[in-house]
Amino acid sequence: MHSLEHWAGQQRVLITRVSPEVDGGRFAVKAIVNDPVSVQVDLLVDGFDLPSGYLLFRHESETEWQRVSLQSLGNDRYEATFYPQQIGLYSYTFEAWVNHFLTWQRNITRHARDFQPVEDELKIGIHYLKRILAQVSPEDHYLIQEAIGLFQNPDRHQEAVTKALSQQMTQWIENYPLIDHVSTYAQPFPLSVSREKAVFSTWYSLFPRSTSTDPLKSGTFQTTIEVLPRIASMGFDVLHLPPIHPIGRHFRRGKNDTAPAQSTDPGVPYAVGNEQGGHDSIAPELGTLADFKALIRAAQQQGIEIAMDLAIQCSPDHPWVKQHPDWFIALDNGTFQTAENPPHKYEDSYCLNFETDDWQNLWKAIRDLVFQWAEWGVRIIRADQPHGKPFAFWEWLITETKQTHPDLIYLAEAFTSPAKMQELSKLGFDQSYTYFIWRNHKSELTDYLKELTETNVRHYLRPNFWPNTHDINPYSLQTGLEPIFLTRYFLAATLSSNCGIFGPSFEHMVHEAYPGREEYLNSEKYAIRHWDWTLENKLTLFIRLLNRIRRENSALQRTNNLSFVPITNDALLAYLKTHPNGNRILCVVNLDPHHRQSAGIQVPLSLIGKQADQPFTVHDLLTDNRWQWQGEWNYIELDPTILPMHLFRIED
């Protein structure tokens, strides 16, 4: 049993049910610099007294708390909002107390409305007014003294009651709080604040060796620089590169993952390392480190950031294999265990042994790679299969590297179980791949998006939607139907504020698959491809237009502002996104690539700030057509052979 000294008996406010929070404060809620952070909490008081309180917050670099008053939402629920001004780690917590002054005002209000005597309440009011005199402004000091005189005059009780119920009295109670016996929350909650790119980004992925326009030559960093203007003109602001390091020579995989490889096969970039170096080196066939830095600078000039691929596995030729054999899992036959992602086995790569006795140096070596890349100018890291490495490692790595480079952004390429994906996001990944690539039907999309945007997951997992990747050629795209390519990019770019494509294959609507698999035939992982970098078709024009619309409409730059809209046809999906600045976007998509579909659509007027008798304009930003609607119910018709979607901006 606890002794009485354990209890703070005079602190009567119970602070509970904090939201948002992640696992009771074990992990950080995520936010974006300058975005509002609204926090809710229950303040419970025994009896009939009223509580008041503050939300306290501070950046990790600050020693003093900043305070925002909690406002009542009713039913013991309170809320406050603040705007973090810096990237990095914040903390927030709460203070609360019984507000006797506010309780007095509530009580005298009730007595006056019931025509009960108020003499005793006025005497209590005098006591509180005298207490606040020591902290008020000179102007208020005079007015409060005047109010005290009014309360003391028995012939002016009606005026005194009016003063007690006035807005001015309420302002005094708020501005000059009488704080006694403060309850504080047991521990602060962490808040991780990132830069804007963490929540709004448009990714393009390619293999630099496939950027050459000469069919007799492989691409380099220089030929990649030459395609940057086109990528930027299409509206992409992140360029993801698979590993750019020397590629292992032993057990190389050939075209379409065949073995043994031919002497002309370039190898898989994910089999990192040979005698020329490992993760800290540049593949000489792509260029030099100076060439890579030139690519980073050229991309920055186009408004593009380079995202590096952190693939934590090593080819048999990686320098670490000889330098640190204990970092790998030794087998009885004298070799090491190869990497795998069941059912795939990667015989050209060894997996690292995170149970090695030398684990601390292994962790530090990987951390130092990130530091080195950051020195080169890289601030975005795509972690390859992070679910295959210890959770504790990732939490340490992300925390450790962000202490030096708080602007780092980590994307988890984690196509794994929901619990593992969520845990990776909790422990620090800024963005995560998702199951969107396999969500095609209306019910699948709505259920999944509601999970991402309406449950507690929204506080820590930022989805990044991709219709394809260099690893995944989904069955939906293997049809080769143009409306499906249009629809899948539209859904990715409007449902999520972070989206991306494996660019060349998607633009060219490549759909040929390895038989029976969701993989590309003649995949670029195993072979060099030569693309037409001047290609213009309906899909490329659509991507360019849609990406511009995303940049120009703030409602599309966030994910959790999503509301699905009723529509009387399961082949049609409708959803609304709104921004506090008044930007309102209504999207309607025909999920049937073969047939024209129509339906009535119900737009909740409360969500767009309209009354039933107020007409409004829906402006399709894709076609520039406009219609005037009125009331909740209107009509939609979409032909997939023309354009299988509307992107309406709701205008007055």
Side-chain angles (χ1 to χ4, degrees), residues 131-303:
R131 279 193 64 189
I132 68 174
L133 276 175
Q135 56 177 311
V136 303
S137 67
E139 180 183 357
D140 281 342
H141 193 281
Y142 172 79
L143 295 173
I144 291 171
Q145 288 280 29
E146 202 175 57
I148 291 172
L150 179 62
F151 282 20
Q152 290 172 333
N153 189 335
D155 297 326
R156 303 177 66 187
H157 276 183
Q158 187 57 47
E159 291 179 68
V161 170
T162 300
K163 172 62 72 173
L165 308 186
S166 67
Q167 181 59 39
Q168 186 179 60
M169 183 65 67
T170 301
Q171 203 67 49
W172 288 339
I173 293 171
E174 292 179 0
N175 291 348
Y176 310 116
L178 296 174
I179 302 176
D180 297 308
H181 311 306
V182 176
S183 299
T184 57
Y185 200 79
Q187 65 179 31
F189 293 88
L191 177 78
S192 177
V193 179
S194 302
R195 57 191 175 103
E196 177 73 12
K197 187 67 66 83
V199 75
F200 177 51
S201 59
T202 315
W203 293 53
Y204 191 97
S205 179
L206 59 75
F207 286 79
R209 68 190 188 186
S210 293
T211 55
S212 175
T213 56
D214 186 339
L216 301 179
K217 295 181 180 179
S218 64
T220 63
F221 293 136
Q222 180 56 48
T223 59
T224 305
I225 289 174
E226 293 168 5
V227 303
L228 285 175
R230 179 179 184 275
I231 295 170
S233 73
M234 293 182 70
F236 294 96
D237 55 22
V238 178
L239 176 60
H240 163 250
L241 307 179
I244 56 172
H245 316 296
I247 299 173
R249 304 188 189 283
H250 282 83
F251 306 108
R252 273 195 178 182
R253 312 299 293 178
K255 186 176 182 180
N256 288 315
D257 198 20
T258 57
Q262 302 298 310
S263 60
T264 55
D265 287 328
V268 179
Y270 287 88
V272 177
N274 61 31
E275 73 282 354
Q276 297 165 319
H279 293 77
D280 56 352
S281 302
I282 299 295
E285 60 268 26
L286 296 178
T288 65
L289 177 57
D291 295 330
F292 180 58
K293 290 181 177 180
L295 171 61
I296 293 174
R297 291 192 300 271
Q300 290 171 342
Q301 293 170 0
Q302 296 286 342

Side-chain angles (χ1 to χ4, degrees), residues 100-101 103-112 116-131 144-166 169 172:
H100 294 289
F101 203 175
T103 303
W104 163 80
Q105 188 187 45
R106 191 272 314 274
N107 290 344
I108 197 172
T109 300
R110 290 177 174 176
H111 290 161
Q116 296 178 13
V118 295
E119 288 82 357
D120 290 341
E121 280 72 22
L122 289 174
K123 291 176 183 179
I124 296 171
I126 292 170
H127 167 71
Y128 293 136
L129 288 171
K130 286 182 176 180
R131 279 193 64 189
I144 291 171
Q145 288 280 29
E146 202 175 57
I148 291 172
L150 179 62
F151 282 20
Q152 290 172 333
N153 189 335
D155 297 326
R156 303 177 66 187
H157 276 183
Q158 187 57 47
E159 291 179 68
V161 170
T162 300
K163 172 62 72 173
L165 308 186
S166 67
M169 183 65 67
W172 288 339

Side-chain angles (χ1 to χ4, degrees), residues 318-344:
H318 195 291
W320 283 357
V321 176
K322 290 184 178 180
Q323 296 167 1
H324 304 282
D326 51 334
W327 288 4
F328 302 88
I329 301 172
L331 302 177
D332 292 339
N333 62 5
T335 63
F336 296 102
Q337 181 174 313
T338 57
E340 62 179 287
N341 183 19
H344 298 287

